Amino acid sequence: MEFAEFAVLCEQLEALAGRLEMRDLVASALPTLNEVELPVFVRFVQGKVFPDWSPEKLGVGPMLLYEAAAYVAGRKKADVVRLVNETGDAGLAIERLLARRQQSAFFDEALSLAEVHALLVRVAGASGVQSQQAKMRLLRQGFGAMTPQEARYFARLVLAELRIGIGEGTVRDAIALAFGMDVKYVEHAQQALNDLGEVALLARKGEDALSSVWIHPFRPVRMMLAQQGTIAEQLADYGPVAVEYKYDGSRIQFHRVGKVCRIWSRRLEEVTHALPEIVEALRAATDRDVILDGEVVAIGADGRPLPFQTVLRRFRRKHGVAAAREAIALVPRMFDCLYADGETLLDRPLSERRHVLEGLLTDHLAPQKVLGDEGEIRAVYEQALRDGHEGVMLKLPDSPYTPGARGRAWVKIKPEVETLDLAVIGAEWGEGRRAKHFGSYQLAVQDRGKLLSVGRVATGITDEQLGDLHTLFKDLVMAESGNSVTFEPHVVFEVGYSEIQKSPNYASGYALRFPRFVRVRDDKGIDEIESLGSIETRYRRQATQNGAGRD
Ligand code: AMP
């Protein structure tokens, strides 16, 4: 497949609103692709160059991309930035810029899908001191051989946001349809491989190929997630539940085969080297080949847990790990077992997985009690809070482990703190003492693949954090206009507030009263932020609590 054909298909998808039509269009393209193209196409159409768990990352920020496009168009980077400001989209801006270039590209050298992929692999592979120049040369080479329309999707792909509104579920269904498979087999293989590109190759081979893949060590599995609920509802609907503390740390997945141990974070980044004491602790606690799920907690000198931010700092650390290890004691609390000695346990009920876990781990188990009495559960909850934990988790003893899914099988119970996880989509430069840093940050909720603004936050950020945040955001700037900048949406803030108000000033139709920065949620991706629906629910709930809605 030529990359130009891929671009045409993306444009067609962009114009479609219905999920089924999108699925059909994607499905019609799949059978025509060869072995190399099929996985690439499936990832590209989801706006991914590599599978989520892959350590390969492009390492290209918006400014580098703009500079490459500007060079090919014979213009200045500032021209791209201006167009991004006008269009609100880097892809469209670059397309327009290239459409106006004097000299047309050498279209007889049109790039194939596989060649674009190979080029991006080289971009990701460029490392060392000269890496930015090397990446730039490759991007220029790419833009140089592309039509403006191809450049639109190439640019968006590099920024990991294709903006064609297609979700993983639609691509999964398209694979099933294209190769005449029951969707449950595709789903099964996706749980195991966590890469629809590879799954598509298996689907083409047939049902047996799909159903015979299982999770295996050193291929991280997406973590099962929890939703909010209440003790009374869980008991009424499901009877006794497995109660565990909800630790305020960071999620890990531990894999071991023989002597080799590796660890992944909730976002499936490998963190083995950042957490040597966790590797040692778990290596000593089991000698079996396993995949375990758990939380890493930081413990202070008084034996009480330290805030979650302390743990995250350790996850990000690349240098000085030994010194950091001296300063903070990290311990694992393991609560699930996904795989043991060649066998997957995903489909087994939690009660059985727990039994296996208790049998193979001599230490570091997160305590669990199965309880059916509301008062007893409440007592555990209160003990958890007294011990400095976040609350409790209530898990259904007969539920399977469902990777990546959030449902009532795991429910979190914590004190009513009014905070929201929101995407950071822009900022304003600070004033006076804070003039060298971004001062206030623009926040957004999600609504069917779109980010809608809900206002800004400036309060609650210390001077030290201001510097850290600036470093975090400076390479995400997509456009600048006057005093404000737009970011490539990447970072999630947890923000406290006193009330949600209706507001015509923001795209979401809502604003936060007294917003306050709580922390960066680097364990969460943009797809995990609050939805407009949940803001509406909170607004309504608050209106009932206050006796009357305030419009
Ligand atoms: P939240 O991040 O608020 O959606 O809560 C879910 C997170 O709680 C998980 O991703 C884990 O990192 C964390 N957690 C803490 N203790 C547990 C536990 N016992 N079982 C499952 N998750 C836990």
Side-chain angles (χ1 to χ4, degrees), residues 276-425:
E277 68 268 56
I278 302 295
V279 172
E280 284 163 27
L282 292 173
R283 180 183 276 139
T286 185
D287 54 5
R288 311 267 291 274
D289 293 352
V290 287
I291 302 179
L292 305 179
D293 189 2
E295 186 92 349
V296 166
V297 192
I299 306 286
D302 59 357
R304 288 174 68 81
L306 295 170
F308 146 100
Q309 215 62 338
T310 328
V311 186
L312 266 190
R313 230 172 277 142
R314 278 292 309 277
F315 271 57
R316 271 188 257 127
R317 191 170 278 279
K318 293 207 170 61
H319 308 289
V321 171
R325 175 181 175 169
E326 299 270 298
I328 308 162
L330 292 185
V331 291
R333 298 277 184 257
M334 307 312 286
F335 47 72
D336 218 317
C337 179
L338 280 47
Y339 169 101
D341 297 327
E343 204 187 332
T344 170
L345 305 177
L346 292 188
D347 296 330
R348 305 270 200 89
L350 171 64
S351 52
E352 270 185 47
R353 301 200 305 277
R354 178 75 195 185
H355 185 71
V356 175
L357 182 69
E358 287 174 4
L360 58 73
L361 212 55
T362 55
D363 203 357
H364 309 302
L365 258 178
Q368 186 195 81
K369 270 192 209 160
V370 178
L371 298 172
D373 178 78
E374 190 176 344
E376 280 184 75
I377 300 176
R378 194 151 289 284
V380 178
Y381 170 71
E382 270 147 24
Q383 186 62 47
L385 297 184
R386 273 199 299 277
D387 290 350
H389 304 298
E390 254 197 299
V392 288
M393 300 286 292
L394 308 183
K395 302 181 177 178
L396 303 185
D398 56 1
S399 61
Y401 192 97
T402 45
R406 189 188 295 283
R408 288 189 69 191
W410 285 16
V411 156
K412 50 188 172 190
I413 310 287
K414 44 184 189 177
E416 266 304 310
V417 273
E418 295 292 0
T419 68
L420 296 166
D421 292 331
L422 300 167
V424 186
I425 55 171

Side-chain angles (χ1 to χ4, degrees), residues 52-74:
D52 290 342
W53 44 262
S54 168
E56 279 180 294
K57 305 277 176 246
L58 289 178
V60 174
M63 288 304 158
L64 192 71
L65 183 80
Y66 298 172
E67 215 167 310
Y71 177 88
V72 172

Side-chain angles (χ1 to χ4, degrees), residues 223-226 244-252 266 293-295 335 366 390 393 395 406 410 412 414 421 521 523-524 528:
M223 316 248 174
M224 180 160 172
L225 302 170
E244 295 166 5
Y245 280 177
K246 183 177 193 306
Y247 302 99
D248 190 16
S250 216
R251 192 82 173 265
I252 52 158
R266 169 164 165 166
D293 189 2
E295 186 92 349
F335 47 72
E390 254 197 299
M393 300 286 292
K395 302 181 177 178
R406 189 188 295 283
W410 285 16
K412 50 188 172 190
K414 44 184 189 177
D421 292 331
R521 292 288 315 238
D523 59 328
K524 282 202 171 176
E528 291 186 79

